[in-house]
Amino acid sequence: MAHDSLYAAPSSGAETERETGRLAGLRGVLGSWDAAVVVALVVAALLASVSVQNFATGRNVQFLLLDLVPLAMLALPMTLIVITGEIDLSVASTVGLCSTVMGQLWLSSGLSLELICVLVVILGAVLGAVNGVFVTGFGLPSLAVTIGTLALYRGLSFVVLGDQAVADFPASWTAAAVRDIPGTSIPVAVLPVLLLALVFGVVLHATSAGRALYAMGNNDQAATFAGVSVARTKFWLFVASGAVCGLVGIFWTLRYASARGDNATGLELTVVTAVLLGGVSIFGGRGGLLGVVAGVLLLGVLRNALQLADVDANALTIVTGALLVASVVLPNAVADVRARLHRRRQRANPVAP
């Protein structure tokens, strides 16, 4: 009996510690920004379903998801770029330029649409590489570089097609861009988004490359000393962002059956808002794809519900801007409050030497 009681106590203590650790981890997850965005998404969707006519219909769900496809695709590489402490504000202009080049090639080159799509993705990657060269090769701030290429690429879009639009794409292609998965209201275009999200999620959260991205966002120099090729990694992130822009340019053109110089105008603000709303720090080093996906969905639900409620387009821009400000200010304010509370608890309960 003495031996039983002697060994029972440590086992009980170890189980208590494990249980405490599990509870602390659960509290950490439930108290995270990601969880707050998911809760806000659920609440917004429920309120819209109850109060906004036609929001919960299958047809509206289809349009909502089609609207979210380009936003979600652009947000994936943007998440990785912002985590490293950089930003790409040229994504919408890159989409527009890829769209117009696609239209011009279809109009005058005689190439097959399959080959044109491949060339458009390559073009997007090249445009992203231009950003990457200026940022990593010349050491220029990504904010300044991509503001410049935002204007440059948009201007080139109008050089390629002028004010005209190309709208005679094959009906089979334009129909495929908006086709639903049989028996559902979910567009087929959602499937490539899920595949890309899986790839980017695995890279960010389950590989050493993903850990290196966080290290770069926290301290470039420390990451370099740790053996991370900072410049090369950031360069390829901009290339990946450009290639995804090429894919979005193809989808945008086929969905609306129109290649125009103003396609995707202003989309960069919405993409950045979704990424920051999802909990990615504008200063780099913090965030994850789960929160970003929830942020994309929350932003899409809010905008869709307001549109169905006949809210003015200017008000939608105001909502997007307000969410952008809130997504920058609130996480930092919450982190500051938590840090102060932690220091206060430490002063109230000092650890004995």
Side-chain angles (χ1 to χ4, degrees):
M1 292 293 292
H3 288 292
D4 290 342
S5 61
L6 181 65
Y7 289 100
S11 175
S12 175
E15 293 218 4
T16 302
E17 287 181 7
R18 284 196 295 271
E19 184 65 24
T20 302
R22 283 195 293 268
L23 290 174
L26 182 60
R27 283 195 299 269
V29 171
L30 294 178
S32 67
W33 183 262
D34 289 4
V37 177
V38 171
V39 170
L41 168 62
V42 173
V43 171
L46 290 175
L47 288 177
S49 299
V50 172
S51 60
V52 179
Q53 188 176 7
N54 297 324
F55 176 84
T57 62
R59 185 171 179 79
N60 184 61
V61 169
Q62 179 195 28
F63 282 120
L64 171 60
L65 293 176
L66 285 172
D67 287 342
L68 288 180
V69 165
L71 176 59
M73 291 181 72
L74 294 176
L76 294 174
M78 182 73 81
T79 298
L80 275 61
I81 289 173
V82 176
I83 283 175
T84 66
E86 307 292 349
I87 198 166
D88 184 359
L89 295 179
S90 68
V91 288
S93 297
T94 304
V95 170
L97 181 52
C98 288
S99 175
T100 56
V101 169
M102 179 180 176
Q104 186 61 255
L105 289 175
W106 176 249
L107 184 68
S108 59
S109 70
L111 299 175
S112 67
L113 201 50
E114 292 85 354
L115 178 57
I116 290 174
C117 289
V118 172
L119 293 176
V120 166
V121 174
I122 294 173
L123 171 63
V126 170
L127 297 175
V130 171
N131 288 334
V133 167
F134 280 108
V135 172
T136 64
F138 296 100
L140 300 175
S142 58
L143 179 63
V145 168
T146 57
I147 286 178
T149 52
L150 177 155
L152 173 63
Y153 295 164
R154 184 62 68 184
L156 289 174
S157 300
F158 287 99
V159 170
V160 172
L161 279 182
D163 292 331
Q164 67 175 320
V166 178
D168 62 339
F169 296 98
S172 59
W173 283 69
T174 56
V178 297
R179 182 174 297 135
D180 291 342
I181 298 173
T184 72
S185 298
I186 301 174
V188 174
V190 169
L191 299 179
V193 178
L194 294 177
L195 179 60
L196 280 176
L198 178 62
V199 171
F200 279 96
V202 169
V203 169
L204 181 61
H205 296 294
T207 67
S208 58
R211 291 189 291 273
L213 299 182
Y214 287 103
M216 282 184 270
N218 286 307
N219 192 314
D220 264 357
Q221 291 185 341
T224 301
F225 289 138
V228 176
S229 180
V230 173
R232 182 185 302 173
T233 303
K234 288 185 178 181
F235 171 80
W236 285 110
L237 286 179
F238 280 104
V239 172
S241 179
V244 171
C245 288
L247 291 172
V248 173
I250 294 168
F251 172 76
W252 194 287
T253 303
L254 294 176
R255 183 199 171 183
Y256 296 104
S258 179
R260 296 171 51 92
D262 61 353
N263 277 355
T265 297
L267 188 61
E268 62 279 325
L269 174 64
T270 309
V271 173
V272 173
T273 301
V275 171
L276 299 184
L277 184 62
V280 178
S281 172
I282 190 64
F283 304 108
R286 190 175 75 241
L289 275 182
L290 175 61
V292 170
V293 171
V296 167
L297 292 171
L298 175 59
L299 196 57
V301 165
L302 291 174
R303 290 176 65 88
N304 180 264
L306 291 173
Q307 287 173 337
L308 289 177
D310 292 326
V311 173
D312 184 75
N314 292 325
L316 295 179
T317 304
I318 293 172
V319 170
T320 302
L323 287 173
L324 178 57
V325 173
S327 61
V328 173
V329 173
L330 288 180
N332 290 287
V334 170
D336 184 56
V337 169
R338 285 181 173 177
R340 290 183 182 182
L341 291 175
H342 180 68
R343 288 195 296 269
R344 187 175 300 174
R345 283 195 298 266
Q346 283 186 324
R347 287 196 297 268
N349 302 293
V351 179

